[in-house]
Every structure is written in C-alpha cells, then in structure tokens.
Coordinates of all heavy atoms in Angstrom, one line a residue:
M220 N -3.9 -29.3 156.5 CA -3.4 -30.0 157.7 C -2.6 -31.2 157.3 O -1.5 -31.5 157.8 CB -4.6 -30.2 158.6 CG -4.2 -30.9 159.9 SD -3.3 -29.7 160.9 CE -3.3 -30.6 162.4
R221 N -3.2 -32.1 156.5 CA -2.5 -33.3 156.1 C -1.2 -33.1 155.4 O -0.2 -33.8 155.6 CB -3.4 -34.2 155.2 CG -4.5 -34.8 155.9 CD -5.3 -35.7 155.0 NE -6.3 -36.4 155.7 CZ -7.2 -37.1 155.2 NH1 -7.3 -37.3 153.9 NH2 -8.1 -37.7 156.0
I222 N -1.1 -32.0 154.6 CA 0.1 -31.7 153.9 C 1.2 -31.3 154.9 O 2.3 -31.8 154.8 CB -0.1 -30.6 152.9 CG1 -1.0 -31.1 151.7 CG2 1.2 -30.1 152.3 CD1 -1.5 -30.1 150.8
S223 N 0.9 -30.5 155.9 CA 1.9 -30.1 156.8 C 2.4 -31.3 157.7 O 3.5 -31.4 158.0 CB 1.4 -29.0 157.7 OG 0.3 -29.5 158.5
I224 N 1.5 -32.2 158.0 CA 1.9 -33.4 158.8 C 2.8 -34.3 157.9 O 3.8 -34.8 158.4 CB 0.6 -34.2 159.2 CG1 -0.1 -33.4 160.3 CG2 1.0 -35.6 159.8 CD1 -1.5 -34.0 160.6
A225 N 2.4 -34.5 156.6 CA 3.3 -35.3 155.7 C 4.6 -34.6 155.5 O 5.6 -35.3 155.5 CB 2.5 -35.5 154.4
L226 N 4.6 -33.3 155.4 CA 5.9 -32.6 155.2 C 6.8 -32.7 156.4 O 8.0 -33.0 156.3 CB 5.6 -31.1 154.9 CG 6.9 -30.3 154.6 CD1 7.7 -30.9 153.4 CD2 6.5 -28.9 154.2
T227 N 6.2 -32.6 157.6 CA 6.9 -32.8 158.9 C 7.5 -34.2 159.0 O 8.7 -34.3 159.3 CB 6.0 -32.5 160.1 OG1 5.5 -31.2 159.9 CG2 6.8 -32.6 161.4
A228 N 6.7 -35.2 158.6 CA 7.2 -36.6 158.6 C 8.4 -36.8 157.6 O 9.4 -37.4 157.9 CB 6.1 -37.5 158.3
L229 N 8.3 -36.2 156.4 CA 9.3 -36.3 155.4 C 10.6 -35.6 155.9 O 11.7 -36.2 155.8 CB 8.8 -35.6 154.1 CG 9.8 -35.7 152.9 CD1 10.1 -37.1 152.6 CD2 9.2 -35.0 151.7
V230 N 10.5 -34.4 156.5 CA 11.7 -33.7 157.0 C 12.3 -34.5 158.1 O 13.5 -34.7 158.1 CB 11.3 -32.3 157.4 CG1 12.5 -31.6 158.2 CG2 10.9 -31.4 156.2
G231 N 11.5 -35.1 159.0 CA 12.0 -35.9 160.1 C 12.7 -37.1 159.6 O 13.8 -37.5 160.0
A232 N 12.2 -37.8 158.5 CA 12.8 -38.9 157.9 C 14.1 -38.6 157.3 O 15.1 -39.3 157.4 CB 11.9 -39.6 156.9
F233 N 14.2 -37.4 156.7 CA 15.5 -37.0 156.1 C 16.6 -36.8 157.1 O 17.7 -37.2 156.9 CB 15.3 -35.7 155.3 CG 16.6 -35.2 154.7 CD1 17.2 -35.8 153.6 CD2 17.2 -34.1 155.3 CE1 18.4 -35.3 153.1 CE2 18.4 -33.6 154.8 CZ 19.0 -34.2 153.7
A234 N 16.2 -36.2 158.3 CA 17.2 -36.0 159.3 C 17.8 -37.3 159.8 O 19.0 -37.4 160.1 CB 16.5 -35.2 160.5
F235 N 16.9 -38.4 159.9 CA 17.5 -39.6 160.3 C 18.3 -40.3 159.2 O 19.2 -41.1 159.5 CB 16.3 -40.6 160.8 CG 15.8 -40.2 162.1 CD1 14.5 -39.6 162.2 CD2 16.5 -40.3 163.3 CE1 14.0 -39.3 163.4 CE2 16.0 -39.9 164.5 CZ 14.7 -39.4 164.6
A236 N 18.0 -40.0 158.0 CA 18.7 -40.7 156.9 C 20.0 -40.0 156.6 O 20.9 -40.6 156.0 CB 17.8 -40.6 155.6
T237 N 20.2 -38.8 157.1 CA 21.5 -38.1 156.9 C 22.6 -38.7 157.7 O 22.4 -38.9 158.9 CB 21.3 -36.6 157.2 OG1 20.2 -36.1 156.5 CG2 22.6 -35.8 156.9
P238 N 23.7 -39.0 157.2 CA 24.8 -39.6 158.0 C 25.2 -38.7 159.1 O 25.2 -37.5 159.0 CB 26.0 -39.8 157.0 CG 25.4 -39.6 155.6 CD 24.1 -38.9 155.8
A239 N 25.6 -39.3 160.2 CA 26.0 -38.6 161.4 C 27.2 -37.6 161.0 O 27.2 -36.5 161.5 CB 26.4 -39.5 162.5
S240 N 28.1 -38.0 160.2 CA 29.2 -37.2 159.9 C 28.8 -35.9 159.1 O 29.5 -35.0 159.1 CB 30.2 -38.0 159.0 OG 29.7 -38.4 157.8
A241 N 27.6 -35.9 158.5 CA 27.2 -34.7 157.8 C 26.4 -33.8 158.6 O 26.0 -32.7 158.2 CB 26.4 -35.2 156.6
Q242 N 26.0 -34.2 159.9 CA 25.1 -33.4 160.7 C 25.8 -32.5 161.7 O 25.2 -31.5 162.1 CB 24.2 -34.3 161.5 CG 23.3 -35.1 160.6 CD 22.4 -36.0 161.4 OE1 22.5 -36.0 162.6 NE2 21.6 -36.9 160.8
S243 N 27.0 -32.7 162.1 CA 27.5 -32.1 163.3 C 28.5 -31.0 163.2 O 28.8 -30.3 164.1 CB 28.2 -33.2 164.1 OG 27.3 -34.2 164.5
F244 N 29.0 -30.7 162.0 CA 29.9 -29.6 161.8 C 29.2 -28.3 161.5 O 28.4 -28.2 160.6 CB 31.0 -29.9 160.7 CG 32.0 -30.9 161.1 CD1 32.3 -31.9 160.2 CD2 32.6 -30.9 162.3 CE1 33.2 -32.9 160.5 CE2 33.5 -31.9 162.7 CZ 33.8 -32.9 161.8
A245 N 29.6 -27.2 162.2 CA 29.2 -25.9 161.8 C 30.0 -25.5 160.5 O 31.0 -26.1 160.2 CB 29.6 -24.9 162.9
P246 N 29.4 -24.6 159.6 CA 30.1 -24.3 158.4 C 31.6 -23.9 158.5 O 32.4 -24.4 157.7 CB 29.3 -23.2 157.8 CG 27.9 -23.4 158.4 CD 28.2 -23.9 159.8
Q247 N 31.9 -23.1 159.5 CA 33.3 -22.7 159.7 C 34.2 -23.9 160.0 O 35.3 -24.0 159.5 CB 33.5 -21.7 160.8 CG 32.6 -20.5 160.6 CD 31.2 -20.6 161.3 OE1 30.7 -21.7 161.4 NE2 30.7 -19.5 161.7
E248 N 33.7 -24.8 160.8 CA 34.5 -26.0 161.2 C 34.7 -26.9 160.0 O 35.8 -27.5 159.8 CB 33.8 -26.8 162.3 CG 33.7 -26.1 163.6 CD 32.9 -26.8 164.6 OE1 31.9 -27.5 164.2 OE2 33.1 -26.7 165.8
A249 N 33.6 -27.0 159.2 CA 33.8 -27.9 158.0 C 34.8 -27.3 157.0 O 35.6 -28.0 156.4 CB 32.4 -28.0 157.3
D250 N 34.8 -25.9 156.9 CA 35.8 -25.3 156.0 C 37.2 -25.5 156.5 O 38.1 -25.9 155.7 CB 35.5 -23.8 155.9 CG 34.3 -23.5 155.1 OD1 33.8 -24.3 154.4 OD2 33.8 -22.3 155.3
R251 N 37.4 -25.4 157.8 CA 38.7 -25.6 158.4 C 39.2 -27.0 158.3 O 40.3 -27.3 157.9 CB 38.8 -25.2 159.9 CG 38.8 -23.7 160.0 CD 39.1 -23.3 161.5 NE 38.1 -23.7 162.4 CZ 37.1 -23.0 162.8 NH1 36.9 -21.8 162.4 NH2 36.2 -23.5 163.7
A252 N 38.2 -28.0 158.5 CA 38.6 -29.4 158.3 C 38.9 -29.7 156.9 O 39.9 -30.5 156.6 CB 37.4 -30.3 158.8
F253 N 38.2 -29.2 155.9 CA 38.5 -29.4 154.5 C 39.9 -28.9 154.2 O 40.7 -29.5 153.5 CB 37.4 -28.8 153.6 CG 37.7 -28.9 152.2 CD1 37.4 -30.1 151.5 CD2 38.2 -27.9 151.4 CE1 37.7 -30.3 150.2 CE2 38.5 -28.0 150.1 CZ 38.2 -29.2 149.4
E254 N 40.2 -27.6 154.6 CA 41.5 -27.0 154.3 C 42.6 -27.9 154.9 O 43.6 -28.1 154.3 CB 41.5 -25.6 154.8 CG 40.7 -24.7 154.0 CD 40.5 -23.3 154.6 OE1 41.3 -23.0 155.6 OE2 39.7 -22.5 154.2
A255 N 42.4 -28.3 156.2 CA 43.5 -29.1 156.8 C 43.7 -30.4 156.1 O 44.8 -30.9 155.9 CB 43.1 -29.4 158.3
R256 N 42.6 -31.0 155.6 CA 42.7 -32.3 154.8 C 43.4 -32.0 153.5 O 44.3 -32.8 153.1 CB 41.3 -32.8 154.6 CG 41.2 -34.0 153.7 CD 41.8 -35.2 154.3 NE 41.8 -36.3 153.3 CZ 42.8 -37.0 152.9 NH1 44.0 -36.7 153.3 NH2 42.7 -37.9 152.0
E257 N 43.1 -31.0 152.8 CA 43.7 -30.6 151.6 C 45.2 -30.3 151.7 O 46.0 -30.6 150.8 CB 43.0 -29.4 150.9 CG 41.6 -29.7 150.4 CD 41.6 -30.8 149.2 OE1 42.3 -30.5 148.3 OE2 41.0 -31.8 149.4
Q258 N 45.6 -29.8 152.8 CA 47.0 -29.4 153.1 C 47.8 -30.6 153.6 O 48.9 -30.5 153.9 CB 47.1 -28.2 154.0 CG 46.5 -27.0 153.4 CD 46.4 -25.9 154.5 OE1 46.8 -26.0 155.6 NE2 45.8 -24.7 154.0
G259 N 47.1 -31.7 153.8 CA 47.8 -32.9 154.4 C 48.0 -32.8 155.9 O 48.8 -33.6 156.4
K260 N 47.3 -31.9 156.5 CA 47.5 -31.8 158.0 C 46.6 -32.7 158.8 O 46.8 -32.8 160.0 CB 47.2 -30.3 158.4 CG 48.2 -29.3 157.8 CD 47.9 -27.9 158.3 CE 48.8 -26.9 157.7 NZ 48.5 -25.5 158.1
S261 N 45.6 -33.3 158.2 CA 44.7 -34.1 158.9 C 44.0 -35.2 158.0 O 44.0 -35.0 156.8 CB 43.6 -33.4 159.7 OG 42.7 -32.8 158.8
L262 N 43.6 -36.2 158.6 CA 42.8 -37.2 157.9 C 41.4 -36.7 157.8 O 40.9 -35.9 158.6 CB 42.8 -38.5 158.7 CG 44.1 -39.2 159.0 CD1 44.0 -40.4 159.9 CD2 44.7 -39.7 157.6
S263 N 40.7 -37.2 156.8 CA 39.3 -36.9 156.6 C 38.5 -37.5 157.7 O 38.9 -38.5 158.3 CB 38.8 -37.3 155.2 OG 38.7 -38.7 155.2
L264 N 37.3 -37.0 158.0 CA 36.4 -37.5 159.0 C 36.0 -39.0 158.6 O 36.1 -39.9 159.5 CB 35.2 -36.7 159.2 CG 34.1 -37.3 160.1 CD1 34.7 -37.5 161.5 CD2 32.9 -36.3 160.2
P265 N 35.7 -39.3 157.4 CA 35.3 -40.7 157.1 C 36.5 -41.6 157.3 O 36.3 -42.8 157.8 CB 35.0 -40.6 155.6 CG 34.5 -39.2 155.4 CD 35.3 -38.4 156.3
E266 N 37.7 -41.2 157.1 CA 38.9 -42.0 157.4 C 39.1 -42.3 158.9 O 39.3 -43.4 159.3 CB 40.2 -41.4 156.8 CG 41.4 -42.2 157.1 CD 41.4 -43.6 156.5 OE1 40.7 -43.8 155.4 OE2 42.0 -44.5 157.0
V267 N 38.9 -41.2 159.7 CA 38.9 -41.4 161.1 C 37.8 -42.3 161.6 O 38.1 -43.2 162.4 CB 38.9 -40.0 161.8 CG1 38.7 -40.1 163.3 CG2 40.1 -39.2 161.5
E268 N 36.6 -42.1 161.1 CA 35.5 -43.0 161.5 C 35.8 -44.5 161.1 O 35.5 -45.4 161.9 CB 34.2 -42.5 160.8 CG 33.7 -41.2 161.4 CD 32.6 -40.6 160.6 OE1 32.5 -40.9 159.4 OE2 31.8 -39.9 161.2
R269 N 36.4 -44.7 159.9 CA 36.7 -46.1 159.5 C 37.7 -46.7 160.5 O 37.7 -47.9 160.7 CB 37.3 -46.1 158.1 CG 36.2 -46.1 157.0 CD 36.8 -46.4 155.6 NE 37.7 -45.4 155.2 CZ 37.4 -44.3 154.5 NH1 36.1 -44.0 154.3 NH2 38.3 -43.4 154.1
R270 N 38.6 -45.9 161.1 CA 39.6 -46.4 162.0 C 39.1 -46.7 163.4 O 39.5 -47.6 164.1 CB 40.8 -45.5 162.1 CG 41.6 -45.4 160.8 CD 42.7 -44.4 160.9 NE 43.4 -44.3 159.7 CZ 44.7 -44.0 159.6 NH1 45.4 -43.7 160.7 NH2 45.3 -43.9 158.4
V271 N 38.2 -45.8 163.9 CA 37.8 -45.8 165.3 C 36.5 -46.6 165.5 O 36.4 -47.4 166.5 CB 37.7 -44.4 165.8 CG1 37.1 -44.4 167.2 CG2 39.0 -43.6 165.7
V272 N 35.5 -46.3 164.7 CA 34.1 -46.9 164.9 C 34.2 -48.5 165.1 O 33.6 -49.0 166.0 CB 33.1 -46.5 163.9 CG1 31.8 -47.2 164.0 CG2 32.9 -45.0 164.0
P273 N 34.9 -49.2 164.3 CA 35.0 -50.7 164.4 C 35.6 -51.1 165.8 O 35.3 -52.2 166.3 CB 35.9 -51.1 163.3 CG 35.7 -50.1 162.2 CD 35.6 -48.8 163.0
R274 N 36.4 -50.2 166.4 CA 37.0 -50.6 167.7 C 36.1 -50.4 168.8 O 36.4 -50.8 169.9 CB 38.2 -49.7 167.9 CG 39.3 -49.9 166.8 CD 40.5 -49.0 167.0 NE 41.2 -49.3 168.2 CZ 42.3 -48.7 168.7 NH1 42.7 -47.6 168.0 NH2 42.9 -49.0 169.7
M275 N 34.9 -49.8 168.6 CA 33.9 -49.5 169.6 C 32.8 -50.5 169.5 O 31.6 -50.1 169.5 CB 33.5 -48.1 169.5 CG 34.5 -47.0 169.7 SD 35.3 -47.1 171.3 CE 33.9 -46.5 172.4
R276 N 33.1 -51.8 169.4 CA 32.0 -52.8 169.3 C 31.0 -52.7 170.4 O 31.4 -52.5 171.6 CB 32.7 -54.2 169.3 CG 33.4 -54.5 168.0 CD 33.9 -55.9 167.9 NE 35.0 -55.9 167.0 CZ 36.2 -56.4 167.2 NH1 36.5 -56.8 168.4 NH2 37.1 -56.3 166.3
G277 N 29.8 -52.8 170.1 CA 28.7 -52.8 171.1 C 28.2 -51.4 171.4 O 27.3 -51.2 172.2
Y278 N 28.9 -50.4 170.9 CA 28.5 -49.0 171.1 C 27.7 -48.5 169.8 O 28.1 -48.8 168.7 CB 29.7 -48.1 171.3 CG 30.3 -48.3 172.7 CD1 31.2 -49.3 172.9 CD2 30.0 -47.4 173.8 CE1 31.7 -49.5 174.2 CE2 30.5 -47.6 175.0 CZ 31.4 -48.7 175.2 OH 31.9 -48.9 176.5
D279 N 26.8 -47.6 170.0 CA 26.1 -46.9 168.9 C 26.9 -45.7 168.6 O 27.2 -44.9 169.6 CB 24.7 -46.6 169.2 CG 23.8 -47.8 169.4 OD1 24.0 -48.8 168.6 OD2 22.9 -47.8 170.3
Y280 N 27.2 -45.4 167.4 CA 27.9 -44.2 167.0 C 26.9 -43.1 166.8 O 26.0 -43.2 166.0 CB 28.8 -44.5 165.7 CG 29.5 -43.3 165.2 CD1 30.4 -42.5 166.0 CD2 29.4 -42.8 163.9 CE1 31.1 -41.5 165.6 CE2 30.1 -41.7 163.4 CZ 30.9 -41.1 164.3 OH 31.6 -40.0 163.8
L281 N 27.1 -42.0 167.5 CA 26.1 -40.9 167.4 C 26.6 -39.7 166.6 O 25.8 -38.9 166.1 CB 25.8 -40.4 168.8 CG 25.2 -41.4 169.8 CD1 25.0 -40.8 171.2 CD2 23.9 -42.0 169.2
G282 N 27.9 -39.6 166.3 CA 28.4 -38.5 165.5 C 29.7 -37.9 166.0 O 30.1 -38.2 167.0
P283 N 30.2 -37.0 165.1 CA 31.5 -36.3 165.4 C 31.3 -34.9 165.8 O 30.3 -34.3 165.6 CB 32.2 -36.4 164.1 CG 31.0 -36.1 163.1 CD 29.8 -36.8 163.7
E284 N 32.4 -34.4 166.4 CA 32.6 -33.0 166.6 C 34.1 -32.7 166.2 O 34.9 -33.6 166.3 CB 32.5 -32.5 168.1 CG 31.1 -32.5 168.6 CD 31.1 -32.1 170.1 OE1 32.1 -31.6 170.6 OE2 30.0 -32.2 170.7
K285 N 34.3 -31.5 165.7 CA 35.7 -31.1 165.4 C 36.1 -30.2 166.6 O 35.5 -29.3 166.9 CB 35.8 -30.3 164.1 CG 37.2 -29.9 163.7 CD 37.9 -31.1 163.1 CE 39.1 -30.6 162.3 NZ 40.4 -31.1 162.9
R286 N 37.2 -30.5 167.2 CA 37.7 -29.8 168.4 C 39.2 -29.4 168.1 O 40.1 -30.1 168.3 CB 37.6 -30.6 169.6 CG 36.2 -31.0 169.9 CD 36.0 -31.5 171.2 NE 35.1 -30.5 171.9 CZ 35.0 -30.3 173.2 NH1 35.9 -30.9 173.9 NH2 34.1 -29.5 173.7
G287 N 39.3 -28.2 167.6 CA 40.7 -27.7 167.2 C 41.3 -28.6 166.1 O 40.7 -28.8 165.1
D288 N 42.4 -29.2 166.5 CA 43.1 -30.1 165.5 C 42.7 -31.5 165.7 O 43.3 -32.4 165.1 CB 44.6 -30.0 165.7 CG 45.1 -28.6 165.3 OD1 44.5 -28.0 164.4 OD2 46.2 -28.2 165.8
N289 N 41.7 -31.8 166.5 CA 41.2 -33.2 166.8 C 39.8 -33.4 166.5 O 39.0 -32.4 166.4 CB 41.5 -33.5 168.3 CG 43.0 -33.4 168.6 OD1 43.8 -33.8 167.9 ND2 43.3 -32.8 169.7
Y290 N 39.4 -34.6 166.4 CA 38.0 -35.0 166.3 C 37.6 -35.6 167.6 O 38.4 -36.2 168.4 CB 37.8 -36.1 165.3 CG 38.0 -35.7 163.8 CD1 39.2 -36.0 163.2 CD2 37.1 -34.9 163.2 CE1 39.4 -35.6 161.8 CE2 37.3 -34.5 161.9 CZ 38.5 -34.9 161.2 OH 38.7 -34.5 159.9
R291 N 36.3 -35.4 168.0 CA 35.7 -36.1 169.1 C 34.5 -36.8 168.6 O 33.6 -36.3 168.1 CB 35.3 -35.0 170.2 CG 34.6 -35.6 171.4 CD 34.4 -34.7 172.5 NE 35.6 -34.8 173.3 CZ 35.6 -34.3 174.6 NH1 34.7 -33.6 175.0 NH2 36.7 -34.5 175.3
L292 N 34.5 -38.2 168.8 CA 33.5 -39.0 168.3 C 32.6 -39.4 169.5 O 33.1 -39.8 170.6 CB 34.0 -40.3 167.6 CG 35.0 -40.0 166.5 CD1 35.4 -41.3 165.9 CD2 34.4 -39.1 165.5
K293 N 31.3 -39.4 169.3 CA 30.3 -39.6 170.4 C 29.7 -41.0 170.2 O 29.2 -41.3 169.1 CB 29.3 -38.5 170.4 CG 28.3 -38.6 171.5 CD 27.3 -37.4 171.5 CE 26.3 -37.4 172.6 NZ 25.4 -36.2 172.5
F294 N 29.7 -41.8 171.3 CA 29.1 -43.1 171.3 C 28.2 -43.3 172.4 O 28.2 -42.5 173.4 CB 30.2 -44.2 171.4 CG 31.2 -44.2 170.2 CD1 32.3 -43.4 170.2 CD2 30.9 -45.1 169.1 CE1 33.2 -43.4 169.1 CE2 31.8 -45.1 168.1 CZ 32.9 -44.3 168.1
K295 N 27.3 -44.3 172.3 CA 26.3 -44.6 173.4 C 26.2 -46.1 173.6 O 26.1 -46.8 172.6 CB 25.0 -44.0 173.1 CG 23.9 -44.1 174.1 CD 22.6 -43.5 173.7 CE 21.6 -43.7 174.8 NZ 20.3 -43.1 174.4
K296 N 26.2 -46.5 174.9 CA 25.9 -47.9 175.2 C 25.2 -47.9 176.5 O 25.6 -47.4 177.5 CB 27.3 -48.6 175.3 CG 27.1 -50.1 175.6 CD 28.4 -50.8 175.6 CE 28.2 -52.3 175.8 NZ 29.5 -53.0 175.9
E297 N 24.0 -48.6 176.5 CA 23.2 -48.8 177.7 C 23.0 -47.5 178.4 O 23.1 -47.4 179.6 CB 23.9 -49.8 178.6 CG 24.0 -51.2 178.0 CD 24.8 -52.1 178.8 OE1 25.3 -51.8 179.9 OE2 25.0 -53.3 178.4
G298 N 22.7 -46.4 177.6 CA 22.3 -45.1 178.2 C 23.5 -44.3 178.6 O 23.4 -43.1 179.0
R299 N 24.7 -44.8 178.5 CA 25.9 -44.1 178.9 C 26.6 -43.5 177.6 O 26.8 -44.1 176.6 CB 26.9 -45.0 179.5 CG 28.2 -44.3 179.9 CD 29.3 -45.2 180.3 NE 29.0 -45.6 181.7 CZ 29.4 -46.7 182.3 NH1 30.1 -47.6 181.6 NH2 29.2 -46.9 183.6
I300 N 26.9 -42.2 177.7 CA 27.6 -41.5 176.6 C 29.1 -41.6 176.8 O 29.6 -41.4 177.9 CB 27.2 -40.0 176.5 CG1 25.7 -39.9 176.3 CG2 28.0 -39.3 175.5 CD1 25.2 -40.4 175.0
V301 N 29.8 -41.9 175.7 CA 31.2 -42.1 175.7 C 31.8 -41.2 174.6 O 31.3 -41.3 173.5 CB 31.7 -43.5 175.5 CG1 33.2 -43.7 175.4 CG2 31.1 -44.4 176.6
W302 N 32.8 -40.4 174.9 CA 33.5 -39.6 174.0 C 34.9 -40.2 173.7 O 35.6 -40.5 174.6 CB 33.7 -38.1 174.5 CG 32.4 -37.4 174.7 CD1 31.7 -37.3 175.9 CD2 31.6 -36.7 173.8 NE1 30.6 -36.6 175.7 CE2 30.5 -36.2 174.4 CE3 31.8 -36.5 172.4 CZ2 29.5 -35.5 173.8 CZ3 30.8 -35.7 171.8 CH2 29.7 -35.2 172.5
V303 N 35.3 -40.2 172.4 CA 36.6 -40.7 172.0 C 37.3 -39.6 171.3 O 36.8 -39.1 170.2 CB 36.5 -42.0 171.2 CG1 37.9 -42.4 170.8 CG2 35.8 -43.1 171.9
D304 N 38.4 -39.1 171.8 CA 39.1 -38.0 171.2 C 40.2 -38.6 170.3 O 40.9 -39.6 170.7 CB 39.8 -37.1 172.2 CG 38.8 -36.4 173.1 OD1 37.8 -36.0 172.6 OD2 39.1 -36.2 174.3
V305 N 40.3 -38.1 169.1 CA 41.1 -38.7 168.0 C 42.0 -37.6 167.4 O 41.5 -36.5 167.0 CB 40.3 -39.4 166.9 CG1 41.2 -40.0 165.9 CG2 39.4 -40.4 167.5
E306 N 43.3 -37.8 167.4 CA 44.2 -36.9 166.7 C 43.9 -36.9 165.2 O 44.0 -37.9 164.6 CB 45.6 -37.2 167.0 CG 46.6 -36.3 166.5 CD 48.0 -36.7 166.8 OE1 48.5 -37.8 166.3 OE2 48.7 -36.0 167.5
A307 N 43.6 -35.7 164.7 CA 43.2 -35.6 163.3 C 44.3 -36.0 162.3 O 44.1 -36.6 161.3 CB 42.6 -34.3 163.0
R308 N 45.5 -35.6 162.7 CA 46.7 -35.8 161.8 C 46.9 -37.3 161.6 O 47.2 -37.8 160.5 CB 47.9 -35.1 162.3 CG 49.1 -35.3 161.4 CD 50.3 -34.6 162.0 NE 50.1 -33.1 161.9 CZ 50.7 -32.3 161.0 NH1 51.6 -32.9 160.2 NH2 50.5 -31.1 161.0
S309 N 46.9 -38.1 162.7 CA 47.3 -39.5 162.6 C 46.2 -40.5 162.7 O 46.3 -41.7 162.4 CB 48.3 -39.8 163.8 OG 47.6 -39.7 165.0
G310 N 45.0 -40.1 163.3 CA 43.9 -41.0 163.5 C 44.1 -41.8 164.8 O 43.3 -42.7 165.1
R311 N 45.1 -41.4 165.6 CA 45.4 -42.1 166.9 C 44.4 -41.6 168.0 O 44.1 -40.4 168.1 CB 46.8 -41.7 167.3 CG 47.3 -42.4 168.5 CD 48.8 -42.1 168.8 NE 49.0 -40.7 169.0 CZ 49.0 -40.1 170.2 NH1 48.8 -40.8 171.3 NH2 49.2 -38.8 170.3
I312 N 43.9 -42.6 168.8 CA 43.0 -42.2 169.9 C 43.9 -41.6 171.0 O 44.9 -42.2 171.4 CB 42.3 -43.5 170.4 CG1 41.3 -44.0 169.3 CG2 41.5 -43.2 171.7 CD1 40.6 -45.3 169.7
I313 N 43.5 -40.4 171.4 CA 44.3 -39.7 172.4 C 43.6 -39.6 173.8 O 44.1 -39.1 174.7 CB 44.8 -38.4 171.9 CG1 43.6 -37.5 171.5 CG2 45.8 -38.5 170.8 CD1 44.0 -36.1 171.1
G314 N 42.3 -40.0 173.8 CA 41.6 -39.9 175.1 C 40.2 -40.5 174.9 O 39.6 -40.6 173.9
R315 N 39.7 -41.0 176.1 CA 38.3 -41.5 176.2 C 37.7 -41.0 177.4 O 38.4 -41.0 178.5 CB 38.4 -43.1 176.2 CG 39.0 -43.7 175.0 CD 39.1 -45.2 175.2 NE 39.9 -45.7 174.2 CZ 39.7 -46.8 173.5 NH1 38.6 -47.5 173.7 NH2 40.5 -47.3 172.6
H316 N 36.4 -40.6 177.3 CA 35.8 -40.0 178.5 C 34.4 -40.7 178.6 O 33.7 -40.9 177.6 CB 35.6 -38.5 178.3 CG 36.9 -37.9 177.9 ND1 37.8 -37.5 178.8 CD2 37.3 -37.5 176.7 CE1 38.9 -37.0 178.2 NE2 38.6 -36.9 176.9
G317 N 34.0 -41.0 179.8 CA 32.7 -41.6 180.1 C 32.6 -43.1 180.2 O 31.5 -43.6 180.3
F318 N 33.7 -43.8 180.2 CA 33.8 -45.2 180.3 C 33.4 -45.6 181.7 O 33.6 -45.0 182.6 CB 35.1 -45.8 179.9 CG 35.3 -46.0 178.5 CD1 35.9 -45.0 177.7 CD2 34.8 -47.2 177.9 CE1 36.0 -45.2 176.3 CE2 35.0 -47.4 176.5 CZ 35.6 -46.4 175.7

C-alpha cells in the first residue's frame, strides 16, 4: 500500500515538473510542428513562448495547443481563461479570446 501511494505521488510530481510545452501536443501534432520548423515554415514553440508569454504580465501560462498553422497559448488570471492565437510563421499575435 505504501509503495503505491509513494509511486502515485512521484508520478504526480513528475506531471507538475514537466514543462507545459511538453504536455499538450498529440504525437501527430508534434511531428507536423517539427517538420514545419525544419522546413522554415514556422517558429518553434519555445521561440513563440519567449515572444508572447512576457507580454502577458500578471497571467499564469497554462500551456500551448497547435491549431493548424498557428499556436494557441492558454493563460489564466483571477479564474478567467484567456486564449492567445499566434501565427506560427511570424510569431505575431493574431487573436485574443476571453479578455
């Protein structure tokens, strides 16, 4: 019993320690994002995050989604969820939802 509780705690701790950018992509999305990056068609997710996250002062960054040729970054502030759509090719913010 103690071993299973400790193992459950360890697995839970790992999930929180894993960066948000590593948690949200399905394998097929990750493959497509990698290929687009390699072909120069889009910025990498870490590059997009470096450009957008600092602009969202006061918001907690919850993680990304890949939506076609764009990224959607999820933020939270005071219980409100905010989505920021970012063009993958340029890193330009193209939409905000939930403000």
Side-chain angles (χ1 to χ4, degrees):
M220 180 72 170
R221 286 186 178 172
I222 292 174
S223 65
I224 292 171
L226 183 58
T227 302
L229 180 62
V230 169
F233 176 76
F235 286 110
T237 304
S240 60
Q242 294 178 4
S243 299
F244 287 135
Q247 305 90 332
E248 291 173 332
D250 290 342
R251 284 193 298 268
F253 178 78
E254 289 172 11
R256 171 71 181 122
E257 288 297 304
Q258 295 171 2
K260 293 180 182 177
S261 70
L262 298 172
S263 68
L264 176 60
E266 179 61 29
V267 169
E268 290 171 332
R269 280 193 293 274
R270 292 176 182 212
V271 176
V272 172
R274 297 178 68 184
M275 299 297 291
R276 290 187 200 122
Y278 288 82
D279 294 322
Y280 179 54
L281 302 178
E284 287 182 6
K285 184 79 165 114
R286 302 198 115 203
D288 292 333
N289 300 317
Y290 292 105
R291 176 170 267 196
L292 306 183
K293 185 177 182 181
F294 295 88
K295 182 178 178 182
K296 182 178 183 180
E297 298 173 359
R299 177 188 281 155
I300 299 296
V301 175
W302 297 96
V303 178
D304 294 325
V305 182
E306 184 179 64
R308 181 178 291 255
S309 68
R311 182 176 63 92
I312 294 175
I313 57 174
R315 298 174 194 225
H316 311 279
F318 276 95

